[in-house]
Amino acid sequence: MIMKEKIMVLGGDKRSYYVAKELYEKGYAVSWYACENYPCEPCGFVSKEDFRADAHKFDTVILPLPHTRDFRHLNTPFSNSKIDLDELSELTKDKRTFSSVDMGDNYFSANEVVIANARLTAVGLLKEMLIYTEKDVMNRSVMVTGFGNVGKAVAKILDNNGMRVTVCARNKEQRVLAGIYGYNTCDIAEGGKNMGEYDFVINTVPAVLFSEESLRKAKKDCVFMELAKGLAAETCSNTASYISCKGMPGKHTPQSAGKVIADYISEKLKE
């Protein structure tokens, strides 16, 4: 069944390609714009035209994740064109809009997308860990800071792969819950004091938790992996390895991440 909605997917990375592809395969009339440099075989949903000339043809617009890189233009890594955010707002003001920010329907705040994205983040993190160590991860000691959606997913996948997981959290309820799940737990003070015990430190908390003195206690071959914004990169890299691991779904599992977004949007369009 061909859907009535005509959908423009605009800009974005590989996730946007798979969002468009998934919706196209579901029967929607969809086109992906601002992607002329994307390396793919010709297909029915990829457009090389200027979206400005065709915008009037579409009822719905899907914007990328992340929305922008410079806070001035739309994120369009596969296009040479610059799409000003103010211009974009004007062109989409009369259209149903899905985005990763509060511009229309924020798909990135939907619970099902958040939870699925947390799992894909954990999968990408494990891939990064295997890249940055020359040892088997089995029986390696890892500290995971925080036990929200991402912390839970990370702790689970590392535990499933034989690592000795300690959840370090400020919140006592999170520590109790982590203990119920079978992980070792500690508070921030204890985690900082025992920093030298860990082979990996995975941060999922967007806050600075440890002092420079604590971070410098790390082993020389410890790998600090940042999923949020809480580790002091310069301090970590002075004593060990520091790896920024933001955007894992887009880097390692864009097809799965794109499908999650497309499924959410498809369900919303049916309402």
Side-chain angles (χ1 to χ4, degrees), residues 88-136:
L88 181 67
S89 295
E90 182 65 23
L91 286 169
T92 59
K93 67 180 180 180
D94 296 325
K95 302 180 185 301
R96 185 170 188 181
T97 304
F98 292 89
S99 74
S100 59
V101 295
D102 290 330
M103 180 177 176
D105 190 315
N106 186 340
Y107 57 77
F108 197 51
S109 67
N111 285 338
E112 59 266 44
V113 176
V114 169
I115 293 169
N117 198 67
R119 181 185 178 279
L120 295 177
T121 296
V123 170
L125 176 77
L126 180 60
K127 286 188 174 183
E128 292 285 308
M129 292 177 77
L130 295 172
I131 291 171
Y132 287 104
T133 182
E134 296 182 350
K135 299 178 182 178
D136 186 358

Side-chain angles (χ1 to χ4, degrees), residues 3 10 39 58 60 85 88 92 102 105 128 167 171 201 243 260:
M3 308 296 180
L10 189 57
F58 297 91
T60 300
L85 294 181
L88 181 67
T92 59
D102 290 330
D105 190 315
E128 292 285 308
V167 173
N171 186 291
V201 176
I243 311 298
V260 168

Side-chain angles (χ1 to χ4, degrees), residues 67-74 84-86:
H67 184 69
T68 183
R69 294 288 188 184
D70 62 4
F71 302 102
R72 292 180 55 208
H73 303 95
L74 193 71
D84 187 88
L85 294 181
D86 291 335

Side-chain angles (χ1 to χ4, degrees), residues 5 14 28 31 40 43 54 66 92-93 112 124 126 135 150-151 158 162 172 174 187 190 216 236 265:
E5 290 86 354
K14 289 182 179 180
Y28 289 92
S31 294
C40 68
C43 61
D54 290 348
T92 59
K93 67 180 180 180
E112 59 266 44
L126 180 60
K135 299 178 182 178
V150 174
L158 300 185
K172 185 176 181 180
Q174 286 190 341
D187 60 20
E190 185 180 0
R216 290 195 175 103
C236 294
I265 291 173

Side-chain angles (χ1 to χ4, degrees), residues 147 155 165-169 171-186:
F147 205 59
V165 176
T166 297
V167 173
C168 180
N171 186 291
K172 185 176 181 180
E173 291 182 4
Q174 286 190 341
R175 297 197 299 271
V176 170
L177 183 59
I180 292 172
Y181 282 28
Y183 308 128
N184 298 319
T185 65
C186 66

Side-chain angles (χ1 to χ4, degrees), residues 12-71:
D13 56 22
K14 289 182 179 180
R15 282 171 289 193
S16 290
Y17 169 80
Y18 286 110
V19 168
K21 183 175 187 291
E22 187 72 20
L23 291 172
Y24 181 80
E25 292 175 351
K26 289 178 182 291
Y28 289 92
V30 58
S31 294
W32 184 30
Y33 285 78
C35 61
E36 67 271 11
N37 298 326
Y38 185 77
C40 68
E41 296 295 327
C43 61
F45 60 87
V46 173
S47 175
K48 304 295 184 181
E49 304 301 320
D50 187 334
F51 84 97
R52 297 170 180 83
D54 290 348
H56 67 281
K57 301 177 183 178
F58 297 91
D59 310 300
T60 300
V61 178
I62 301 173
L63 302 178
L65 172 66
H67 184 69
T68 183
R69 294 288 188 184
D70 62 4
F71 302 102

